[in-house]
């Protein structure tokens, strides 16, 4: 029996060549996209899930009042961990991590110059009990107290091979921040799905004393505290005491209303309020959206299958009638038709494996990931693939099987079952509307994302970002030696005398930066405290970035602050006009100095966030960046000349630079990738829909071959026949538009709420989306209709 079913199924699939190819193509595209999205969602959901004690690991985070609501930071004071150990006996282990991104590591050489390595993933100062909290096993060396002594380091296997060419590196020396560290342990490489990308772990005790000098007032986002809850303790017990702990060390009457809270390890990667050491988070909303897109694309392909299967069912009405007359039961017929569907679904799934593997070769570099498609050794992937195949086979085949198997044998044998009076007709119309809803939603979403990206690129930021090269200045943790700070100014002044250099400025950061310094201040005439961002600048900064001074004047080019320049938002925050604030004294970082000037507002971070109060002043010790405005035609020559000058000043660091406009584009890297991905998925959804429409149009034109011939004999024009075929689809597109437009408007508006500065979703977006859908559908259906309408009526009337 099974053999007979299989032969019949293969024969029927071969006979219905066009429909089979369309169904295979659509299902393959849908399943391929769903497989890729499954790998993406699984990867993003798995961050730090591999730690055996993940359910008991928490991070202490900090929140306080700002000028515009709550401020959130994962950073805590360096003195907090010791206090936390004493006040919270519920914690089994407490560990502190002090991270340094973009670090330069030096490997001394006995003969010759030392080797320099730029560690983009950064390094971390931490403690031995890190290995008791997190799963990064020690392979060789001191497995109990590897970081208890000053100037010791645990190094990953890959770094050992990179630096020394061997894993036998115990006792070797690496140099960082002008200090030498002896290797005491070799640890496993950090996996890709972790927010703790540590290859080098330096002993925190080396810098602990210096680091704690600022007490409870010093907070840096890259210095964080984690603890391991004891097995039989409740986290609610810790949470209930956090307010008292905060009041004890930060003051019960603190105007900022600070609060230390706890954050579970499993939530860290999905909470963009606090961030991670990889500077990347993935909101739960993004994961839900990606999962929904995977389902929608498979659903679109299934809709094609159901549409074509129910349309083709008329052709098989006589076959059903004969089988029923010869004694076949409805259950047997259902099994036969489901078998045909299952074969198509299985073939599609197998082909999808190859396509998904191929797509990863392009997707991994684009997303900067290393997703792998290991079908043989990934049971979860097999389970997903089998599940998708079964669901697709059932969803695509169940309804058509029930429709066909229900035909009355007497009517079927007399050929009295028509396409329009069959039970699948209205379903097909509903499913076509569903496809148009999906396609138009993707089109609307893509247009909104692209418009928002264009808005980011074109919005005036309040400063000039063009033709500016940003070069990091090495920031030394240890106190600077005599002459170290003066090297910065010497380098800048030498550059200013170079051809092709329009201007140069020493500063802490460019006007817009991912690195932000915040502090509180007092101002003359006001009794309360306020918060502000801080930028440390030289006298060239404001002119180089072409900021507009609207009151007062610029700071002088000095090494230490004599006065301040603030932005308009600073004035609004404290309640003074730009003219009134000139001369007012501000107390900040122990200095009390007057305001000398006010600049027009400029964006200090991405357009997701509002413009904040900002204060700027001279401080040579705080300069970590050199901004160089170049003549565009001489940019390469300037960089070629800058490199040896920079290396002469900083021989133990690696020269690096980036154009500021590229840095600013990196702010929106995730959204840029999302817009590209959504564009790809939109194209695939539209392509799948077009395959279905083309198949339906082909089927209907074949069904109406004689009708077309009769109409042409009676004088109907080609245009009238094309309109007759396409007007039904125009109605369905209109219905789809009425459903998808408000849905897209609501969802994309929710997405845009993440940005303080955003586009407005106007009617033009929906007009473009509707016209695009109409053009695509009419090109698909119109092509087949036109081809059928231009056939010689003599041939049409002879058609059987």
């Amino acid at each position: 029996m099974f053999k007979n079913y299989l032969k019949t199924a293969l024969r029927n699939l071969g006979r219905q060549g066009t429909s089979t190819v369309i169904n295979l193509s659509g299902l393959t595209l849908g399943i391929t996209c769903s497989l890729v999205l499954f790998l993406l969602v699984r990867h993003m959901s798995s961050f730090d899930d591999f730690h055996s004690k993940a359910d008991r690991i928490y991070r202490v985070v900090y929140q306080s009042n700002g000028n515009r609501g709550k401020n959130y930071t994962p950073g805590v004071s360096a003195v907090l961990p010791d206090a936390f150990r004493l006040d919270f006996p519920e914690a089994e282990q407490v560990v502190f991590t002090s991270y340094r991104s973009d670090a330069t590591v030096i490997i001394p050489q006995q003969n010759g110059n030392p080797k320099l390595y730029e560690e983009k993933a950064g390094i971390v100062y931490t403690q031995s009990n890190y290995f008791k909290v997190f799963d990064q096993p020690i392979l060789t060396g001191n497995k109990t107290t590897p970081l208890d002594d000053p100037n010791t380091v645990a190094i990953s296997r890959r770094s050992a091979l990179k630096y020394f060419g061997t894993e036998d590196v115990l006792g070797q020396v690496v140099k960082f921040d002008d200090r030498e560290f002896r290797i005491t342990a070799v640890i496993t490489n950090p996996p890709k799905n972790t927010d703790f990308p540590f290859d080098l772990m330096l002993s925190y005790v080396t810098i602990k004393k210096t680091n704690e000098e600022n007490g409870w007032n010093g907070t840096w986002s890259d210095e964080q505290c984690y603890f391991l809850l004891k097995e039989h303790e409740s986290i609610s017990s810790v949470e209930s005491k956090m307010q008292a702990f905060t009041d004890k060390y930060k003051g019960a009457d603190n105007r900022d209303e600070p609060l230390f809270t706890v954050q579970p390890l499993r939530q860290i990667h999905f909470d963009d309020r606090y961030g991670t050491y990889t500077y990347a988070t993935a909101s739960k909303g993004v994961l839900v959206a990606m999962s929904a897109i995977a389902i929608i694309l498979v659903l679109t392909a299934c809709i094609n299958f159901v549409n074509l299967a129910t349309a083709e069912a008329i052709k098989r009405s006589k076959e059903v009638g004969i089988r029923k007359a010869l004694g076949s039961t409805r259950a047997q017929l259902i099994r036969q038709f489901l078998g045909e569907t299952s074969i198509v679904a299985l073939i599609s799934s197998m082909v999808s494996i190859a396509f998904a593997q191929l797509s990863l070769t392009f997707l991994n570099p684009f997303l900067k990931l290393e997703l792998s498609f290991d079908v043989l050794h990934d049971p979860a992937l097999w389970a997903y693939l089998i599940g998708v195949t079964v669901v697709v086979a059932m969803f695509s085949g169940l309804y058509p099987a029930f429709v066909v198997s229900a035909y009355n044998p007497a009517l079927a044998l007399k050929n009295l079952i028509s396409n329009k009076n069959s039970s699948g007709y209205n379903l097909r119309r509903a499913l076509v509307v569903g496809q148009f809803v999906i396609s138009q939603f993707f089109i609307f979403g893509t247009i909104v994302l692209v418009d928002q990206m264009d808005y980011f690129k074109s919005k005036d930021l309040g400063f000039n970002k063009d033709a500016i090269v940003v070069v990091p200045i090495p920031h030394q943790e240890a106190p600077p030696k005599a002459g170290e700070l003066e090297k910065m100014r010497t380098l800048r002044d030498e550059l200013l005398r170079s051809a092709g250099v329009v201007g140069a400025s020493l500063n802490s950061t460019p006007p817009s930066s991912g690195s932000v310094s915040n502090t509180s201040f007092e101002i003359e005439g006001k009794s309360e405290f306020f918060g502000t961002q801080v930028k440390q600048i030289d006298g060239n900064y404001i002119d180089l970035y072409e900021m507009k001074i609207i009151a007062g004047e610029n700071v002088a080019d000095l090494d230490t602050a004599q006065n301040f320049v603030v932005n308009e938002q600073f004035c609004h925050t404290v309640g003074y006009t730009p003219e009134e604030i000139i001369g007012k004294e501000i107390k900040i970082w122990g200095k009390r100095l007057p305001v000398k000037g006010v600049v027009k507002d400029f964006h200090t971070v991405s357009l997701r966030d509002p413009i904040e109060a900002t204060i700027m002043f001279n401080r040579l010790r705080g300069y970590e960046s050199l901004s160089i405005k170049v003549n565009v035609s001489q940019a390469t020559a300037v960089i070629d000349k800058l490199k040896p000058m920079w290396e002469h000043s900083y021989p133990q660091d690696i020269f690096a630079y980036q154009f500021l406009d590229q840095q600013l584009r990196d702010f929106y890297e995730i959204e840029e990738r999302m817009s590209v991905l959504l564009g790809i998925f939109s194209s695939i959804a539209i392509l799948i829909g077009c395959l279905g429409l083309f198949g339906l149009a082909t089927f209907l034109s074949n069904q109406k071959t004689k009708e077309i011939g009769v109409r042409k004999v009676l004088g109907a024009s080609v245009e009238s026949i094309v309109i007759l075929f396409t007007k039904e689809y125009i109605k369905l597109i209109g219905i789809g538009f009425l459903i998808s437009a408000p849905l897209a408007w609501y969802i994309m508006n929710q997405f845009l709420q993440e940005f303080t500065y955003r586009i407005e979703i106007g009617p033009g977006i929906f007009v473009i989306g509707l016209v695009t859908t109409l053009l695509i559908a009419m090109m698909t259906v119109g092509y087949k209709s036109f081809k059928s309408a231009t056939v010689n009526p003599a041939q049409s009337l002879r058609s059987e």
Side-chain angles (χ1 to χ4, degrees):
M1 182 66 74
F2 174 77
K3 187 177 179 181
N4 179 54
Y5 281 157
L6 182 61
K7 279 185 177 180
T8 305
L10 292 174
R11 190 180 298 123
N12 283 321
L13 291 174
R15 189 182 299 124
Q16 301 165 9
T18 303
S19 297
T20 301
V21 169
I22 288 173
N23 284 329
L24 276 172
S25 302
L27 288 175
T28 299
L29 282 171
I31 294 173
T32 299
C33 290
S34 79
L35 281 174
V36 171
L37 287 167
F38 167 76
L39 293 174
L40 271 171
V41 171
R42 184 176 67 168
H43 171 74
M44 294 167 68
S45 303
S46 68
F47 266 67
D48 292 301
D49 213 27
F50 58 89
H51 295 291
S52 58
K53 303 169 185 172
D55 291 334
R56 295 194 287 133
I57 301 174
Y58 295 84
R59 177 169 68 174
V60 180
V61 293
Y62 183 65
Q63 66 182 49
S64 60
N65 286 341
N67 296 331
R68 299 190 179 190
K70 289 289 184 183
N71 291 328
Y72 300 92
T73 178
V76 296
S77 307
V79 293
L80 179 139
D82 289 340
F84 195 88
R85 285 188 191 94
L86 292 173
D87 290 20
F88 291 92
E90 297 91 343
E92 181 179 321
Q93 298 287 341
V94 179
V95 61
F96 190 62
T97 53
S98 183
Y99 181 66
R100 306 291 185 272
S101 62
D102 295 326
T104 298
V105 175
I106 301 171
I107 307 301
Q109 303 293 305
Q110 291 181 352
N111 300 311
N113 295 326
K115 292 182 179 179
L116 277 62
Y117 295 90
E118 185 179 13
E119 294 297 341
K120 286 288 185 183
I123 64 174
V124 68
Y125 286 96
T126 190
Q127 301 156 314
S128 294
N129 62 344
Y130 177 92
F131 303 102
K132 296 179 181 179
V133 177
F134 300 97
D135 290 3
Q136 193 169 0
I138 297 173
L139 301 174
T140 59
N142 186 339
K143 296 189 177 184
T144 54
T145 57
L147 302 176
D148 278 10
D149 296 329
N151 300 104
T152 54
V153 58
I155 185 173
S156 72
R157 174 189 288 167
R158 66 186 176 201
S159 290
L161 291 171
K162 179 170 69 173
Y163 297 157
F164 303 101
T166 178
E167 295 180 29
D168 184 16
V169 294
L170 297 178
Q172 295 280 10
V173 170
V174 300
K175 193 174 180 182
F176 172 71
D177 190 25
D178 209 24
R179 294 188 179 96
E180 291 189 346
F181 294 83
R182 179 175 49 86
I183 298 175
T184 57
V186 177
I187 58 179
T188 55
N189 301 329
K192 289 294 179 183
N193 58 336
T194 181
D195 286 315
F196 303 89
F198 306 146
D199 281 300
L200 266 75
M201 307 176 79
L202 312 177
S203 55
Y204 177 66
V205 67
T206 308
I207 62 169
K208 187 174 188 291
K209 183 177 179 181
T210 304
N211 217 41
E212 293 179 350
E213 288 178 354
N214 290 326
W216 287 92
N217 294 322
T219 301
W220 181 29
S221 62
D222 281 343
E223 294 197 326
Q224 302 174 12
C225 178
Y226 297 83
F227 68 93
L228 178 67
L229 189 69
K230 289 179 180 177
E231 284 196 50
H232 301 296
E233 292 288 350
S234 169
I235 192 61
S236 60
S237 172
V238 175
E239 290 173 328
S240 65
K241 297 192 290 185
M242 291 304 288
Q243 184 64 66
F245 177 77
T246 306
D247 293 344
K248 177 180 178 180
Y249 294 105
K250 300 291 286 185
D253 56 350
N254 194 310
R255 57 185 170 74
D256 290 335
E257 297 184 12
L259 178 64
F260 292 109
T261 60
V262 296
Q263 183 185 34
L265 177 69
R266 293 188 188 277
Q267 292 182 9
I268 288 176
H269 190 71
F270 309 105
D271 192 342
D272 57 8
R273 294 177 303 169
Y274 296 105
T276 68
Y277 280 137
T278 56
Y279 303 110
T281 56
S283 70
K284 293 287 187 181
V286 170
L287 298 185
V288 170
M290 291 172 68
S291 302
I293 289 171
I295 294 170
I296 287 169
L297 289 173
V298 173
L299 179 63
T300 304
C302 291
I303 288 173
N304 274 357
F305 202 113
V306 173
N307 271 338
L308 288 175
T310 53
E312 293 274 5
I314 305 303
K315 288 184 177 181
R316 304 186 66 177
S317 59
K318 284 189 177 180
E319 176 193 341
V320 172
I322 292 170
R323 285 181 176 275
K324 282 193 170 185
L326 293 175
S328 291
T329 64
R330 188 177 185 189
Q332 289 174 325
L333 291 169
I334 289 172
R335 283 197 295 271
Q336 179 190 331
F337 291 116
L338 277 178
E340 293 176 17
T341 307
S342 299
I343 290 172
V344 175
L346 184 61
I347 294 172
S348 297
S349 295
M350 294 301 102
V351 177
S352 295
I353 293 174
F355 277 21
Q357 184 68 62
L358 179 64
S359 66
L360 288 182
T361 61
F362 301 98
L363 196 64
N364 276 332
F366 176 67
L367 296 177
K368 298 181 181 178
L369 296 174
E370 293 181 8
L371 299 177
S372 60
F373 199 91
D374 187 1
V375 181
L376 297 177
H377 304 96
D378 192 339
L381 189 58
W382 264 114
Y384 178 80
L385 193 59
I386 292 170
V388 167
T389 304
V390 171
V391 169
V392 166
M394 292 296 104
F395 186 85
S396 301
L398 206 56
Y399 181 81
F402 273 96
V403 169
V404 176
S405 64
Y407 287 158
N408 184 302
L411 294 177
L413 289 171
K414 293 177 182 178
N415 206 24
L416 295 177
I417 298 175
S418 71
N419 213 330
K420 202 155 189 173
N421 63 27
S422 70
S423 60
Y425 179 72
N426 288 326
L427 174 69
R428 284 198 303 279
R429 299 181 72 198
L431 292 179
V432 169
V433 169
Q435 279 193 319
F436 284 134
V437 169
I438 292 169
S439 298
Q440 289 184 94
F441 176 83
F442 275 122
I443 291 170
F444 295 146
T446 302
I447 294 171
V448 170
L449 266 177
V450 169
D451 282 359
Q452 183 66 21
M453 291 302 104
D454 289 341
Y455 175 76
F456 286 155
K457 294 170 186 175
S458 60
K459 188 177 187 309
D460 180 17
L461 300 177
F463 61 91
N464 177 37
K465 65 180 186 297
D466 298 323
I468 294 177
V469 179
V470 178
V471 181
I473 296 292
H475 179 64
Q476 303 294 325
E477 298 296 330
K481 296 177 183 177
E484 281 292 313
L485 297 180
E486 287 74 10
K487 284 195 300 187
M488 303 181 199
R489 188 178 290 279
T490 302
L491 177 62
R492 184 202 68 176
D493 293 344
E494 190 175 349
L495 266 174
L496 285 170
R497 294 191 291 270
S498 302
V501 175
V502 179
S505 165
L506 291 165
N507 50 82
S508 54
T509 61
S512 284
S513 171
S515 176
V516 175
S517 175
N518 289 286
T519 191
S520 57
F521 67 92
E522 297 177 82
I523 186 168
E524 178 185 343
K526 304 289 180 178
S527 58
E528 66 264 43
F529 286 79
F530 302 93
T532 182
Q533 292 184 11
V534 175
K535 290 194 179 293
Q536 297 157 74
I537 66 172
D538 67 5
N540 300 342
Y541 187 85
I542 289 175
D543 291 337
L544 182 140
Y545 282 107
E546 298 178 22
M547 295 178 175
K548 185 178 179 182
I549 296 178
I550 58 175
E553 57 187 32
N554 190 10
V555 295
D557 191 31
L558 304 172
D559 291 346
T560 57
Q562 300 298 317
N563 36 55
F564 300 126
V565 168
V566 300
N567 67 345
E568 290 176 285
Q569 184 57 43
F570 189 101
C571 301
H572 298 155
T573 298
V574 298
Y576 288 123
T577 66
E579 292 74 21
E580 290 172 341
I581 204 171
I582 301 298
K584 299 288 184 185
E585 288 195 340
I586 294 174
K587 183 180 180 182
I588 185 172
W589 289 359
K591 300 177 181 291
R592 186 180 291 276
L593 298 169
V595 175
K596 188 179 184 181
V598 179
V599 297
K600 188 175 179 62
D601 277 340
F602 60 95
H603 291 273
T604 58
V605 289
S606 77
L607 296 174
R608 296 183 189 87
D609 303 308
I611 293 174
E612 294 284 357
T614 304
I615 189 169
M616 297 179 284
F617 53 87
N618 307 117
R619 186 171 178 257
L620 187 62
R621 180 71 180 89
Y623 298 156
E624 298 178 24
S625 176
L626 175 61
S627 302
I628 308 159
K629 187 172 181 61
V630 299
N631 186 315
V632 176
S633 62
Q634 297 176 277
T636 303
V638 170
I639 292 168
D640 289 342
K641 187 171 183 178
L642 168 63
K643 187 174 186 291
M645 293 166 58
W646 192 93
E647 289 175 341
H648 176 74
S649 298
Y650 303 100
Q652 294 192 335
D653 290 280
I654 298 173
F655 174 74
Y657 71 92
Q658 190 174 23
F659 281 91
L660 179 60
D661 56 356
Q662 179 58 53
Q663 280 189 1
L664 299 181
R665 281 197 295 271
D666 290 345
F667 281 167
Y668 315 108
E669 189 175 15
I670 294 175
E671 287 79 11
E672 192 78 54
R673 290 175 186 166
M674 278 181 61
S675 64
V676 173
L677 283 178
L678 190 58
I680 292 171
F681 292 135
S682 297
S683 301
I684 291 172
I686 292 166
L687 177 58
I688 294 172
C690 287
L691 286 171
L693 286 178
F694 185 80
L696 278 176
T698 301
F699 173 79
L700 292 176
S701 65
N702 292 338
Q703 287 286 96
K704 297 190 176 186
T705 301
K706 284 190 176 181
E707 179 186 337
I708 293 171
V710 171
R711 286 180 179 274
K712 290 196 74 175
V713 168
L714 294 176
S717 65
V718 172
E719 293 80 5
S720 65
I721 293 173
V722 171
I723 292 171
L724 180 69
F725 270 77
T726 56
K727 67 179 182 181
E728 173 71 8
Y729 291 102
I730 293 175
K731 291 179 186 176
L732 299 180
I733 289 172
I735 296 170
F737 174 79
L738 294 175
I739 298 172
S740 64
L743 183 65
W745 180 87
Y746 174 77
I747 292 177
M748 296 313 295
N749 254 318
Q750 293 299 112
F751 165 75
L752 291 174
Q753 296 307 310
E754 294 183 15
F755 305 98
T756 301
Y757 303 93
R758 54 186 179 266
I759 62 168
E760 293 293 330
I761 302 180
I765 288 173
F766 297 105
V767 171
I768 294 171
L770 179 60
V771 170
T772 303
T773 310
L774 283 169
L775 286 175
I776 292 171
M778 291 306 99
M779 286 172 65
T780 305
V781 178
Y783 165 76
K784 191 61 189 177
S785 303
F786 178 79
K787 193 173 179 182
S788 299
T790 54
V791 173
N792 189 315
Q795 295 179 11
S796 301
L797 292 172
R798 285 200 300 266
S799 175
E800 292 295 332

